[in-house]
Amino acid sequence: MTERTGQRPERPSTSAPASSSPSPSPSSASSSPSPSSDPSSPARSRTAGTAGAEGTGGGAGACGAGPGPVDVVLAPPRTTLSPPRPVGARRIWPRSFADRLTAPLPGVRAMARLAREGTMRPMAATLAEEIPELPFAPGPMPDSGPDTLAVTWAGHASWVVRIGGLTVLTDPVWSRKILGTPARVTPVGVAWQDLPPIDAVVISHNHYDHLDLPTLRRLPRATPLFVPAGMGEWCRRRGFTVVTELDWWEGAELPAPAATAAPAAAAVPEGGSGRGARVRFDFVPAHHWSKRTLTDTCRSLWGGWVLTDQHGRRLYFAGDTGYGHWFTEIGRRYPGIDLALMPIGAYDPRWMLRPVHTDPEEAVLACRDLGARRMAPMHWSTFLLSGEPPLEPLIRVRAAWRDAGRDREDLWDLPVGASRVLESEPAA
């Protein structure tokens, strides 16, 4: 059965910080519960002449006539996760997701300015000096089990995530070169033959540096793929048989391997099914866009992923994103994020890339907004996509983390190929 779906996106009613991406256009806004600092209590709004409040008409109080401001009790913000969607279900989506954009895409004038200024590539002397210094330290992958949360950085936005007994790849790109991009400047951090069996793959969006067909073709076609809305047919045409498309704020679950599944009495995260040990995959918004050919701009969605294990531990994979209001909303809906995998590169020139790529300082701000305890930088040191010097993202993110007063141990600034394990919290 094919389901026709594609709800309008939910948006928080509060304004984005001054340094965030431009505000969404009115056509992309929709009614979302207002964020509240206390999710357990109803939100209150001071509003003038609210329709239905003591029988007043809309706008009268705002003009100075009629009753003054009235306290209106709004519905409490939604914190319960949506029921898990069926894995592999076919769905029909809108033809375009352009209404989800939070900033206009660059036009002809921007492209002309970019060509005139020639700022999308570091200077040759800088490349010669800094590329040999990029951190590369491949090592053995850590052992994993049902209680392990560990990450290994393969480079760019590609991670090997071990969570809840599963091995998950994020935006896997094992190719040396991708379309329209200079070849990678550091090797892949994990040789393909050294990977354990892959239980699932998550894709953030369809840009070539995040969706690499030669890499996907190395996978068994029965590998579960979790992809944004609108990408399912692209994957099925290439032979994949278990493709789960999700809209923003939707989730699906995979069971832990039978040999490592936890007892049925194990803790189940909020919104989970309670059917033994499972990992939940939630698709969340990002400030970005999608395009793969000349005719498919915004025909599929874009976003990040929140992975939650059977103990409620959470990992957030941002994919590709600019800074903006979505981070606060993600943190509200998915509290207690243990580790955020955040992009810190491909940000120069800022006049063009600010809406879609966080710089190092914005990544640290986003980590704060998410309420994430730890951050692992990514999206740098692999493909040089913009004009900043190759080592600059690392230098700046360390300084921003320090200036924010964050614990140095919670910045997982890994070399390409390195791993780190989140140790289990001691029992109370």
Side-chain angles (χ1 to χ4, degrees):
M1 172 180 283
T2 300
E3 178 184 357
R4 184 179 297 274
T5 186
Q7 75 255 23
R8 300 282 297 187
E10 298 183 44
R11 293 189 182 277
S13 60
T14 54
S15 299
S19 60
S20 68
S21 302
S23 300
S25 62
S27 64
S28 65
S30 63
S31 58
S32 171
S34 300
S36 169
S37 58
D38 182 7
S40 64
S41 63
R44 284 187 174 269
S45 173
R46 296 287 293 181
T47 181
T50 303
E54 301 185 0
T56 61
C63 297
V70 177
D71 274 332
V72 178
V73 179
L74 305 177
R78 191 176 98 186
T79 58
T80 303
L81 302 185
S82 64
R85 303 287 312 183
V87 171
R90 290 178 177 266
R91 304 169 72 177
I92 298 176
W93 301 98
R95 181 171 174 80
S96 173
F97 293 92
D99 62 333
R100 310 289 185 96
L101 292 170
T102 48
L105 297 178
V108 175
R109 289 184 179 180
M111 295 295 102
R113 177 180 173 183
L114 191 65
R116 184 171 64 251
E117 295 179 356
T119 54
M120 289 295 285
R121 183 77 174 162
M123 295 178 61
T126 303
L127 294 176
E129 178 182 352
E130 294 193 6
I131 286 178
E133 301 300 320
L134 291 173
F136 179 73
M141 297 185 62
D143 295 331
S144 69
D147 299 326
T148 301
L149 176 54
V151 293
T152 302
W153 190 29
H156 203 52
S158 302
W159 295 84
V160 186
V161 176
R162 321 294 286 278
I163 182 169
L166 301 181
T167 299
V168 181
L169 296 183
T170 69
D171 288 359
V173 179
W174 260 250
S175 298
R176 178 179 174 273
K177 195 175 186 307
I178 54 179
L179 184 66
T181 302
R184 61 195 311 146
V185 294
T186 50
V188 181
V190 184
W192 188 264
Q193 62 269 21
D194 294 336
L195 289 172
I198 304 303
D199 298 297
V201 172
V202 298
I203 301 294
S204 64
H205 64 298
N206 69 357
H207 288 161
Y208 282 88
D209 59 320
H210 293 259
L211 178 64
D212 183 48
L213 182 55
T215 299
L216 291 182
R217 282 176 170 158
R218 297 185 179 196
L219 293 164
R221 296 305 186 267
T223 303
L225 303 185
F226 292 87
V227 302
M231 274 187 54
E233 283 308 307
W234 187 94
C235 298
R236 293 186 187 97
R237 286 198 303 268
R238 284 145 184 89
F240 289 93
T241 58
V242 186
V243 182
T244 305
E245 297 174 271
L246 295 177
D247 203 342
W248 290 346
W249 311 124
E250 291 184 340
E253 296 179 340
L254 280 184
T260 60
V268 178
E270 182 185 16
S273 64
R275 301 188 304 275
R278 308 178 75 82
V279 174
R280 179 168 169 122
F281 297 72
D282 283 275
F283 190 52
V284 295
H287 299 274
H288 206 62
W289 64 302
S290 69
K291 182 183 180 70
R292 198 165 176 89
T293 71
L294 294 175
T295 60
D296 68 351
T297 302
C298 296
R299 294 286 180 85
S300 62
L301 200 48
W302 53 90
W305 293 90
V306 176
L307 276 56
T308 308
D309 73 4
Q310 62 266 28
H311 302 293
R313 289 181 298 185
R314 281 186 165 136
L315 175 143
Y316 167 66
F317 168 65
D320 223 351
T321 182
Y323 179 71
H325 65 276
W326 284 130
F327 294 110
T328 299
E329 181 68 1
I330 293 167
R332 186 180 72 84
R333 296 192 187 218
Y334 302 92
I337 293 173
D338 294 284
L339 175 63
L341 309 179
M342 291 298 305
I344 66 167
Y347 52 78
D348 188 31
R350 293 311 284 149
W351 65 263
M352 179 176 181
L353 295 173
R354 181 185 299 276
V356 293
H357 286 166
T358 51
D359 65 21
E361 293 78 16
E362 290 169 336
V364 173
L365 287 176
C367 189
R368 175 206 64 187
D369 297 347
L370 290 162
R373 178 174 175 181
R374 305 166 187 84
M375 185 178 92
M378 65 173 185
H379 208 267
W380 75 285
S381 186
T382 308
F383 297 104
L384 302 183
L385 304 176
S386 57
E388 73 272 5
L391 279 171
E392 183 180 279
L394 179 63
I395 296 169
R396 286 175 55 174
V397 78
R398 287 173 173 172
W401 194 260
R402 181 184 64 247
D403 293 346
R406 304 293 295 263
D407 189 335
R408 181 64 180 85
E409 284 298 307
D410 291 336
L411 179 63
W412 291 13
D413 48 347
L414 301 177
V416 174
S419 303
R420 193 151 178 185
V421 179
L422 177 62
E423 301 296 340
S424 300
E425 298 289 341

